[in-house]
Amino acid sequence: MEVSVPMLLLLPVLLAGLVSRPSAVANTIASYPPDCDSYSIPGCPRNYDPVCGTDGKTYGNECDLCFSNREENKDVQIFKRGVC
């Protein structure tokens, strides 16, 4: 089967439509709460160990997510370890 060049160029566009942001799928994929009791806030370590929140935002580390939750009175959970 021969595939034309225009079809190959269109493939990434079609596949991009299948990918969604974490916030859009957070209700269908298991997320978990951050372990905020492990941190003595107001002071977070400066190590870069990113976590992706269920709000689609990347936090520098789990403590940063906990701090943001407390400061803004929200309940963002961890969608995954790493950047969003």
Side-chain angles (χ1 to χ4, degrees):
M1 179 175 145
E2 189 174 314
V3 178
S4 67
V5 173
M7 282 299 290
L8 288 176
L9 295 174
L10 187 58
L11 186 60
V13 174
L14 294 173
L15 291 176
L18 298 175
V19 178
S20 58
R21 297 193 50 138
S23 58
V25 294
N27 294 332
T28 59
I29 296 178
S31 57
Y32 56 96
D35 183 17
C36 295
D37 293 335
S38 320
Y39 305 103
S40 58
I41 295 179
C44 288
R46 293 180 175 230
N47 66 312
Y48 184 67
D49 186 16
V51 293
C52 178
T54 52
D55 60 352
K57 179 180 174 187
T58 299
Y59 295 86
N61 57 41
E62 187 174 24
C63 183
D64 287 341
L65 185 142
C66 292
F67 183 76
S68 177
N69 277 344
R70 288 184 182 162
E71 286 291 306
E72 299 177 25
N73 195 28
K74 55 187 182 175
D75 186 29
V76 175
Q77 298 199 356
I78 296 174
F79 175 72
K80 69 173 188 166
R81 296 265 172 204
V83 297
C84 293

